[in-house]
Every structure is written in structure tokens, then in C-alpha cells.
Amino acid sequence: MEETKVVTGAWELSTFKFRVEGEGLRLMLENMKDKKLVGTKCSKCGTVYIPGNFYCRKCHVKIDEQAEVSDHGTVMSYTVGYSDVRGNPLEEPRIAVEVKLDGGDTWIMGVMQECKPEDMEIGKRVKVKWNEVRSGSLQDMKAFIPE
Amino acid sequence: MDGKVAIAGYNISPCSSNMVTSRERLLFDLTTGLFEELGIDRDAVDTFIIATNDFLDGRTISNVFLDPPIGAYMKDETKVEMDAVNAIAYGWMRILTGQYDTALIVSLGLCGHQISPYLHIDYTLDATYDRQLKLLNELSAAALQAGSYLGKYGYPAELLDEIAAKDLGNAALDPYQARRLDGISAEEVGKSRYLYEPLRELHCYPPTDGGCVMLLASEDRAGELTDKPVWILGMGRSIDKYYIGDRDLAVSPSTTQAAKVAYDMAGIKDPAGEVDLAEISSIFAHQEPLLAEALGLFEEGKAVDIYSSGDSAIDGRLPVNPSGGALGAHPICSTGLIRMAEAARQLRGEAEGNQVKKAGVAVAHGQDGMCAQQNAVVVLGI
Amino acid sequence: MMRNVGIIGVGYTPIFVSKRKDVSIPEMISEAVDAGFRNTGLTPEDIDAVIFGNMQTFEGVNLPHLWAVEHIRALGKPVMRIATGGTTGMSAFHAGYYHVASGMADVVMVVTYEKHSEGDAQVGLMGIITPEVMTMLQAGIDVTGGSGMGAIGGGSAGGISFQAMSYLNHSGASIEHIDAMAAMERRNAAKNPYAHLKDPECTAEKIAETAMVSYPIRFGHICPTTDGSTVCILASEEKAAELADKVAWVWSVANCCSDATTGNLVDGMITDPAEQRPCMIAARQAYERAGIEDPKTEFDVIEIYNGFAHQTLMFLEKLGVCEVGEAHKLLEAGELEIEGRLPTNASGGVVSTNSIGTSALNRVTEAALQIMGKAEGGHQVPKDVHKALAHSWGGLMQYVAVTVLGDTPPRK
């Protein structure tokens, strides 16, 4: 096979100024300072979104009722990572989890600590390990730990 | 053609250069607004077709977060990544099979605040050659086309000022347009700065945020949804060569070809005589007469007379872009759909300050690519 | 009016490999277009419309059908561009189907491609959620996955690892079954001249030796990135009778979407990504439209979109082709092999060949070739193929498109 000439191009993502829905995220982060997890609830079907959404996917109506969910929940799925997002090996395997918090209908992704991979299972009960100092950031919730 | 398909309703966003909103909220508002008007909800829509562009949206699979806001959660949905008139063509075909009764066409372009204008055409360039040379971009190519068109008939550059003044004056009367310069004169247009000679700023489309949704329905269903269905009488689509050097930029064969198919389908033999108005996606002033000629609506070589006599004005013999057209707003991907919606407004007698007197048959047009390489033409009737 | 539509021809680039350094994008596409014409004896004049699909941000070329217009012989024709993520190839096929079924075209060419070597797949993939990631970065997310809420887990396999784990949990299958599935597909790929990763001697043990990315996803379970192009020609019943010796008839098409799976980046998802409800809905609709009453027994060949090896097993269940927990047993019993009762991914699937714009179309073309008896290289199943099922999946785990094919026209 003959080699052809290679020329370069780029997609300058830096030239974009995005506007993303942020209300629900802001609501959740504000309340995380007080170790509370607050989302929005659809009064028609009862679905609770966390982070909150301004409308309900199922009913296609605007929702603004706030709903607090527990910081305890159930592991809906998990995985044990041996490399990071770019494929570089990790020093120690890391457990990532998808958790459905009690009272909520969305799955939250996070990292699992204080638990060995062999002791993990779908359906495990977990709770949030809150950071001592909280500032309204996603880091306020350090990790999930066994209940 | 077996069976008829109608526009049952539509919703155009008030366009602007900087809409303080997210894509999700814009589309949620447009679709719920339309549903409310028609007295339906998302269950009434059999399929959803979204028309947005990944490069404009700044993300891969740019429709991936747009399904739930438009009501498509757990439903049939697809995406046509072109000007939305092509999405209409797809929805139209689905309904013609009888398998679907309704199709919601959804489009948006956030080309005002989100992205530097004119950039998306850069990415359509031949990556191995034109993109490397950095000479061609949307504006420089359009300027070449303008020069070509003006030169063909020996038109003065001031013709562009006349065209833009007419369109911008119309746009000032239209509640959905972004650039509304009340009472603007050709002289004032002629004083705006050059972007690429002979094209001045006011000869070119404004960077715009906006969107549009439109519900298509089968004959039976349309009657249940509205007492003013606007029928799709004909639809044609075609494409020209890519390489600028291979094209005669003063003409648009693909528009002529697409129009021929649409007119044949609609049974129109004399477009200039039978069509009452046209909404054309001319995103640069010179494209309006160029495309109008290709559509068989303007006699070739007569543009100066046509504009000076007021032939194409709102109260003229054959109004072109009574809404003001794309010089008033160009939310890329939505523009052709907005032209269809504006044409429908006219046919339904709901165009208020922009209303033309005789509105029974309209032509709407949408384009894609450098110098309108690809075109779609639809004939509508009430 | 709903007309019958048949597939009368398929065209592939001569090879599907990691890097085609000898051709540019349009040149590569024209190889498949030429193959389509060669295989059918048609010329560009016979084609009424062209559908074009690929995931353009992978190469950084916007609306490539504009640049490639002459290479796809589409001058003067209606050209429609379809882009729906991983399902693009099949969505494009569906658009072609509706062109003919509606009567608006008699012969349509569907063109798909991807030239991953001329781009950055990571940029393409991450680009789906760039604005959301940027928002979450401002909110304190740890993109290395080390701590905090929303920590992006799953390594480079991402959210798929959660899907695979959930699949194992509810089906009772083990990671060894995934290894065995991957091995079978690589062996099948070795019998397909148009596949990328081929290993005629592949075994579950060999796959199990590959690095663990994020349990239960091993490196050997993951699809490659491939350069390739696929073309499919569709025709009305009248034209098919005139132009083709063998036809694979389209009995139905269907698709469905849910909410994007982002592990709560900005927006939480409410739909279980391992449940694949859109798949169940799309399959049900496709079967209804096609008159398929028992998907467990009626299909002779199945092609499943499996970017990851566990998905072949998972989707067999979600499509209703077998009960939950049965797929890995079918695998153990050898029923999914080329000579088995229910040959699945005789082509090697997406896990063996993934030029993403073509991947969903290849599920249709491979099923069609099986019906027409034209699959080359030894992967033609050794029995008459009357009904075939082609499935595709993509997006942020929430798009599914399904096509049912048969060896006779569906309507009298």
C-alpha cells in the first residue's frame, strides 16, 4: 500500500461558548453544604430527578416541586477499574458505583471506598461519606461507603 | 402522488443574536407551545425528526440530549443532519407510507452566542486541499459568487443594497426576526462595512440563535388538528458539485432541478404565473435574485428592474421573502423550516404586518453547503 | 401507500483495517460505491436518491457528502444525510427504506463510512458531553474518577462496564461467557474477508489473558476502530424484479430512544442502561409490523450491534430471541455458531469490525448477504435463510434501531 501525504486539521472546541442547564445542579450543590440531597419531583407521575430537572421526561411538563432524597441508597451496578479514563494503569483497583438513593429515581455515579472488590454486589446498601468541610461542590460528597 | 400530507401547526422562536437559554429549554418551550396550541401532547406524535448540526452544536451526536425535551422519550426518533426542509421531506415520506399519521420536525441553531459565525462551512471544506489553503471560507466563497452573479448581467454593486434594504425592511415587521432595522434605506445599507468585497455586513446573514418546530400530519389527522391545514403539494431536492472552480456560481442548477421536481409534483407549469409568494433561504443578498431565477420566478437578467419596481415587495406582483428572509435571522438548520413556517403563515392569512394580498400557493426553499451547493424546494398550498 | 422494498446489492471497501493510508476519505468511499455497482451491474443513472451517514466529528469533516458528492455519484440527486450516533448506518438504511416504501424513489443507494485513522476517536467520543463535562468541572467533578460525586468511573470503558456488570448479575452469566463470546466472534471474523480483527484460533482463554480494563470488561471484549465504507442498494419490488437475481426483502424497520446515560452529568438518567427498554420497544414494534409472532424460533440468522462482547448475549435477551439468562446457555451449547441453530454475528460483529458509520449498516448487509447466499470467505451459514434480524445500538447508550429481513416479499 502506498502511503499518502498527511495534512492536519483541528476542531476548535475552544471557540464555543456553551449554555448548559444548570438550575438542578445548583439546587443540589447548594444543599450539599448542609449534607442534604435535593432534586425536583414531577407532581404528575412522582418521578424524582436528582440532579433536578426543570421538566419531567415521562410527562413532558414543567416541574418545580423540590424533593429531598436520602443519602442512603442501593448499588444498581458497579465496576472495578484497573485503568483510568485514558487507559493508564491505576496503582490500586478502584470501585465505581451507580447508586439509586432512597427516594430518588436517578442513578448517581460515584466512587466506592472502605470496601473490597470481593465484597461488592449489586443490591448492596451504601451511604454517602460526607466531607468534613463542604463548599457546594461535587467533592462535598467524598464517596459511597457501606451502610 | 398517493395521499396528502399537511402542515398542521408550527412554532417559530423569536430569534436573536444572544438567546439566554439552553438548547433543551428552547426546544421544550417550542414543542410544548405547539402542543398546547393544537390541544395535544407527546402521545399524539408518531415520530420525531431532529435537524441540528454537530459542528454548530460543538458536540458529537448533537441530538443525544434533545430527545426528552421534545417529548421523544421512549419513542421513535431520528436525525437528519441538514437544513430542516430535508427533515420535512423525510417526515413527509414516512407519513406517505401510511405507517405514521404525524411527524414532528424539530430544529435549532445557536449560531449567535455559541459559536463564531461562518465557521461551520470551514469544516465542510475539502480537508486535504481547500482547508489547507485557508483562502476559502463561507464569506469569501459567497463574495466570489456575488461577483460572479453581478458580473454576469453587469449589475451594479448597489443592487445588493436594494435587495438587503427590502429584506431588512420586511424583517422589521416580522416578530420572529433577529435583525430588525426599521426604515433602513439602501444608502444606509451601502455604508455598512465590507466583510468580503462586494459583500457588506448588511448584505450577509446575522449570526443568530433560534429554532423552529413543525407538525406534519396525514390528511385525516390534519383535519382533526387544524381547520387551516397547509398542504405539501410538491417536494424536490438536488445537489451541485463541490469544487467552486467547477461551478458557474451565477446559477444554481440544483435549485432549478429541485424546483422542477417540486413543480411537476404540484402540477405547476408556469411558476412565475402560478406561485403567489416565495420564502427563499438566501443567506447573502445576491442569493435572493440568483435563487429566484433558478426557481423560475424571476426572469434572468431583470433583477435591477424587479427590485426598483417593487415587483418582489410585500405588495408587489410576486412577493419574495415577505418575512425578510435569512438576512433577518439564520439559525443554521432551522432557516429553511422557518421559511416554510413563514410561508404557511402567509397561506393561512396570519402574517399580520407582513401579509401579502394573494396567498394561495407558496414556494419555500432551504440550502446547505458553500454557495448553496445543496438545495431543497417545497411547494405549499391552502 | 406502503410498497415492498428489497435489498438488491451490497458494496464494501476491499478491506476493513486500522489505517487506510493509501486513500483519502472520498476515495475510500468510492471504493465501496464502485463495489456496489459492480456487484449489482447497476450504473449511477439507475440510482434515484442517495442516503449518506457517518459520525463526522470523528474525522473533523462537516457534512462530508458535500465534498464527496461526485465520489458517491450523487450529482443532481436528492441526497439525505443521517447522523444518529452508533445507529447511524441503520438509521440511514431506514431513511432509504422510506424513500422507496413511500413511492418517492425506486432505487436508492445508502452510503456509510468512517475513517477513524484520520481523526481522534477520544475527541469524537468525549465530544458528546464536552459542555456537560465542562459544567461538572466547574462544579468540582474529578474526571480521573478518584473521588466525589459523579466521579467518572469505568476507566476507558466508561459507562459500559456498569451495563456489563448488570448484565452478568441478572442473567447468571459469568465473565468467562463474555470471553467465549468474544472468541467466537473473532473466529467468525476470520471467515469474513471484510472483517478487521480476525483470529481463527481464538479461544476464551486467549481473551481472558488480555488486560482487565474495568471489571468485567477486558481489552479483548472491546471493538477496534476501523477504516471502511459500506454501501447498500435498495429497490422497489418492480425494480428488484428487473434488476436483481437475489433479493433480501425488508419486512419491517423500527427504532426507539430513551434518555442519555450520563451517570448524572448535569442531568440524571432515570432509565436503567442495562435494561435496554428502547430495545424491547423497538423490537416489539418491528415484530408487529413484520408479522413475527415468535422471535425465539422464527429467525435463521441474527446480527447484533456489539461494541462490547457482552452485548451480543445481552441483546439476544432484550430482543426476545431468548429468555433472560438463556443467552449464555445457547452459547455453551454451540447454538450461536455459524453451523448452529441460531447463528449470531457470523460476520464477527462490531467487536471485530468497527468503522462506526458503517457498523449499524453492516448488521443489515450481513443479514441480507446471508439471505441471498452471498456471504464470502466461509461465514455463509450452511442452511436456507428465510428470516433474519438485524439490530443496532448507539448514542449515549439509548438509541436502538431494528430491521427484520426475509427471503420473500412481505406483502401480497
Side-chain angles (χ1 to χ4, degrees):
Chain A
M1 278 196 296
E2 257 176 68
E3 284 228 14
T4 42
K5 184 174 153 76
V6 174
V7 293
T8 55
W11 183 21
E12 313 277 21
L13 282 174
S14 54
T15 63
F16 289 81
K17 294 196 293 267
F18 299 107
R19 280 212 177 94
V20 186
E21 275 304 309
E23 233 175 80
L25 188 60
R26 270 195 297 276
L27 174 69
M28 189 182 76
L29 292 175
E30 253 316 293
N31 282 279
M32 276 169 81
K33 289 188 202 161
D34 303 322
K35 292 208 243 183
K36 290 214 279 207
L37 290 159
V38 179
T40 56
K41 175 176 171 169
C42 175
S43 46
K44 262 181 121 181
C45 70
T47 304
V48 174
Y49 297 87
I50 173 131
N53 211 329
F54 73 87
Y55 72 100
C56 175
R57 266 158 240 176
K58 296 183 198 171
C59 308
H60 202 227
V61 292
K62 274 221 167 99
I63 60 178
D64 51 19
E65 189 186 323
Q66 289 182 13
E68 192 180 336
V69 306
S70 163
D71 60 355
H72 287 235
T74 312
V75 172
M76 303 305 286
S77 189
Y78 71 94
T79 181
V80 185
Y82 295 84
S83 62
D84 66 18
V85 283
R86 268 285 182 180
N88 305 310
L90 294 170
E91 266 184 37
E92 265 185 50
R94 180 191 292 157
I95 305 171
V97 283
E98 298 265 21
V99 174
K100 189 133 134 349
L101 297 167
D102 296 340
D105 291 293
T106 47
W107 293 19
I108 310 276
M109 204 193 288
V111 69
M112 183 82 188
Q113 289 178 354
E114 297 175 21
C115 182
K116 293 206 224 43
E118 314 82 82
D119 298 328
M120 278 303 296
E121 57 175 355
I122 290 177
K124 193 180 182 69
R125 294 286 304 167
V126 295
K127 65 182 180 193
V128 172
K129 176 166 147 192
W130 293 100
N131 236 331
E132 287 296 313
V133 181
R134 295 174 302 280
S135 60
S137 140
L138 291 167
Q139 294 299 317
D140 290 352
M141 183 196 109
K142 214 163 176 238
F144 288 105
I145 53 175
E147 198 170 42
Chain B
M1 182 174 63
D2 205 28
K4 285 162 72 174
V5 178
I7 299 171
Y10 52 83
N11 199 356
I12 312 173
S13 73
C15 300
S16 90
S17 59
N18 188 358
M19 268 183 153
V20 184
T21 188
S22 63
R23 302 180 310 149
E24 292 81 359
R25 214 175 269 268
L26 170 60
L27 292 183
F28 179 83
D29 288 342
L30 280 176
T31 48
T32 50
L34 177 59
F35 290 167
E36 220 173 277
E37 193 191 302
L38 295 175
I40 58 173
D41 60 24
R42 71 190 195 91
D43 291 335
V45 180
D46 295 336
T47 185
F48 299 77
I49 306 179
I50 300 178
T52 58
N53 179 283
D54 281 7
F55 279 85
L56 287 171
D57 284 8
R59 49 163 90 236
T60 310
I61 328 177
S62 61
N63 59 323
V64 105
F65 290 109
L66 301 182
D67 303 310
I70 65 174
Y73 180 70
M74 293 301 180
K75 290 176 76 94
D76 186 322
E77 167 273 4
T78 189
K79 173 166 157 233
V80 171
E81 192 170 31
M82 303 169 78
D83 182 281
V85 178
N86 296 277
I88 290 277
Y90 191 6
W92 172 69
M93 285 187 276
R94 283 192 173 212
I95 296 175
L96 284 176
T97 62
Q99 206 172 55
Y100 297 87
D101 276 323
T102 54
L104 184 70
I105 314 303
V106 175
S107 71
L108 70 83
L110 293 180
C111 313
H113 78 264
Q114 183 166 269
I115 180 177
S116 309
Y118 318 116
L119 200 60
H120 78 298
I121 290 289
D122 275 19
Y123 292 110
T124 65
L125 295 173
D126 175 337
T128 64
Y129 189 73
D130 290 323
R131 202 154 142 184
Q132 303 301 316
L133 280 184
K134 297 189 182 6
L135 291 172
L136 275 183
N137 55 59
E138 185 172 26
L139 285 175
S140 66
L144 286 173
Q145 187 185 44
S148 212
Y149 179 71
L150 294 175
K152 180 175 179 179
Y153 302 111
Y155 293 145
E158 286 74 20
L159 172 62
L160 300 177
D161 305 335
E162 298 284 343
I163 299 166
K166 176 203 69 117
D167 283 339
L168 293 171
N170 290 352
L173 301 168
D174 187 304
Y176 305 109
Q177 293 283 28
R179 185 202 257 158
R180 300 157 67 198
L181 303 170
D182 213 3
I184 185 127
S185 68
E187 287 74 44
E188 282 168 282
V189 172
K191 292 201 190 103
S192 64
R193 67 191 174 111
Y194 277 125
L195 294 186
Y196 259 92
E197 206 172 330
L199 292 176
R200 296 179 187 274
E201 191 169 351
L202 293 181
H203 299 151
C204 304
Y205 72 83
T208 317
D209 292 343
C212 184
V213 302
M214 186 173 281
L215 185 70
L216 296 181
S218 61
E219 195 167 354
D220 291 337
R221 199 75 182 91
E224 291 167 16
L225 291 165
T226 174
D227 53 5
K228 286 195 219 167
V230 172
W231 301 101
I232 295 179
L233 302 176
M235 167 79 69
R237 296 169 289 132
S238 183
I239 186 168
D240 289 319
K241 294 184 183 189
Y242 160 80
Y243 292 97
I244 293 285
D246 283 352
R247 294 171 61 184
D248 175 356
L249 292 178
V251 292
S252 182
S254 59
T255 302
T256 303
Q257 170 61 22
K260 178 175 190 316
V261 174
Y263 291 146
D264 283 349
M265 221 182 266
I268 289 180
K269 300 209 177 12
D270 169 28
E274 298 176 55
V275 172
D276 298 321
L277 69 116
E279 282 282 336
I280 301 175
S281 294
S282 41
I283 62 181
F284 298 99
H286 65 279
Q287 286 186 345
E288 190 177 276
L290 194 159
L291 293 166
E293 287 171 15
L295 289 166
L297 301 174
F298 280 10
E299 204 186 316
E300 286 188 37
K302 298 282 192 245
V304 171
D305 295 336
I306 288 169
Y307 285 93
S308 62
S309 69
D311 229 33
S312 65
I314 285 176
D315 57 1
R317 188 190 59 82
L318 204 166
V320 172
N321 287 337
S323 68
L327 292 190
H330 182 37
I332 301 171
C333 283
S334 302
T335 305
L337 191 59
I338 293 177
R339 302 278 72 71
M340 281 185 69
E342 291 282 10
R345 273 179 92 214
Q346 294 282 349
L347 297 175
R348 285 156 67 134
E350 293 166 356
E352 296 175 46
N354 303 81
Q355 184 67 53
V356 309
K357 234 187 342 214
K358 184 160 182 285
V361 175
V363 165
H365 155 274
Q367 62 157 291
D368 277 295
M370 206 162 44
C371 296
Q373 184 194 345
Q374 186 170 27
N375 293 280
V377 176
V378 56
V379 179
L380 300 170
I382 190 120
Chain C
M1 155 189 52
M2 183 88 184
R3 300 200 302 175
N4 284 336
V5 184
I7 297 171
I8 61 172
V10 172
Y12 290 130
T13 39
I15 44 174
F16 280 71
V17 289
S18 300
K19 295 195 211 298
R20 285 296 304 274
K21 293 193 200 174
D22 57 327
V23 284
S24 68
I25 286 171
E27 287 167 352
M28 187 183 76
I29 298 168
S30 65
E31 286 179 348
V33 170
D34 287 345
F37 286 130
R38 230 177 13 250
N39 295 340
T40 52
L42 296 180
T43 66
E45 285 68 49
D46 295 313
I47 308 292
D48 300 323
V50 179
I51 318 297
F52 192 97
N54 80 305
M55 280 184 71
Q56 57 186 359
T57 55
F58 280 91
E59 291 90 2
V61 181
N62 190 12
L63 308 178
H65 68 284
L66 297 176
W67 172 23
V69 62
E70 289 184 81
H71 289 81
I72 60 178
R73 318 286 192 274
L75 269 189
K77 299 179 188 171
V79 180
M80 185 175 283
R81 180 181 166 72
I82 303 285
T84 57
T87 51
T88 293
M90 200 181 285
S91 300
F93 176 81
H94 289 185
Y97 169 75
Y98 282 109
H99 271 68
V100 182
S102 66
M104 286 304 116
D106 290 327
V107 184
V108 171
M109 176 178 272
V110 181
V111 179
T112 61
Y113 87 96
E114 216 65 67
K115 201 157 190 278
H116 285 287
S117 67
E118 281 193 32
D120 186 336
Q122 278 285 20
V123 170
L125 283 173
M126 283 307 285
I128 303 174
I129 49 174
T130 311
E132 283 69 29
V133 171
M134 280 156 59
T135 308
M136 296 302 264
L137 279 172
Q138 289 171 9
I141 199 175
D142 177 354
V143 287
T144 67
S147 66
M149 188 191 238
I152 296 183
S156 57
I160 283 292
S161 354
F162 295 111
Q163 184 191 69
M165 184 63 100
S166 182
Y167 163 69
L168 289 182
N169 184 60
H170 74 243
S171 66
S174 67
I175 190 174
E176 286 79 25
H177 289 110
I178 304 179
D179 298 333
M181 191 72 238
M184 188 191 100
E185 300 206 47
R186 296 281 157 81
R187 288 195 303 271
N188 288 352
K191 298 183 185 157
N192 180 356
Y194 304 103
H196 178 186
L197 294 180
K198 307 178 209 226
D199 186 354
E201 324 267 290
C202 199
T203 60
E205 291 72 29
K206 272 177 106 170
I207 299 285
E209 281 164 22
T210 61
M212 182 71 74
V213 173
S214 197
Y215 191 89
I217 306 269
R218 296 193 217 270
F219 190 72
H221 298 164
I222 304 178
C223 58
T225 51
T226 316
D227 287 353
S229 176
T230 300
V231 156
C232 183
I233 302 181
L234 295 152
S236 65
E237 201 163 354
E238 215 181 284
K239 280 291 184 179
E242 204 187 292
L243 301 168
D245 55 339
K246 294 267 170 68
V247 182
W249 296 97
V250 183
W251 282 30
S252 70
V253 305
N255 88 331
C256 189
C257 74
S258 67
D259 47 351
T261 300
T262 51
N264 86 276
L265 254 57
V266 185
D267 247 17
M269 77 212 168
I270 54 171
T271 314
D272 178 345
E275 184 194 10
Q276 290 295 316
R277 201 148 15 116
C279 178
M280 300 194 280
I281 295 174
R284 194 163 49 227
Q285 185 167 59
Y287 299 154
E288 223 173 87
R289 287 173 172 171
I292 299 283
E293 281 162 5
D294 185 12
K296 290 202 193 72
T297 57
E298 292 187 48
F299 294 116
D300 300 304
V301 149
I302 315 231
E303 279 284 329
I304 289 188
Y305 190 112
N306 58 343
F308 301 84
H310 73 278
Q311 293 178 324
T312 318
L313 299 169
M314 183 182 81
F315 281 121
L316 280 171
E317 295 173 3
K318 303 305 176 186
L319 291 164
V321 171
C322 67
E323 296 288 348
V324 169
E326 290 286 297
H328 63 280
K329 296 193 185 143
L330 293 175
L331 174 66
E332 276 171 353
E335 301 202 33
L336 305 181
E337 299 267 3
I338 288 174
E339 319 80 39
R341 181 186 67 80
L342 192 57
T344 300
N345 286 2
S347 62
V350 179
V351 79
S352 302
T353 312
N354 184 27
S355 40
I356 222 171
T358 70
S359 293
L361 180 60
N362 282 22
R363 309 285 61 76
V364 175
T365 52
E366 283 295 319
L369 289 172
Q370 294 287 350
I371 288 177
M372 298 192 279
K374 292 185 177 178
E376 297 172 43
H379 76 286
Q380 174 70 45
V381 304
K383 59 173 177 171
D384 288 336
V385 179
H386 301 295
K387 291 183 204 159
L389 176 65
H391 150 279
S392 69
W393 163 89
L396 262 186
M397 324 240 282
Q398 91 276 38
Y399 290 150
V400 170
V402 171
T403 306
V404 175
L405 302 173
D407 63 349
T408 57
R411 266 165 288 276
K412 295 290 161 235

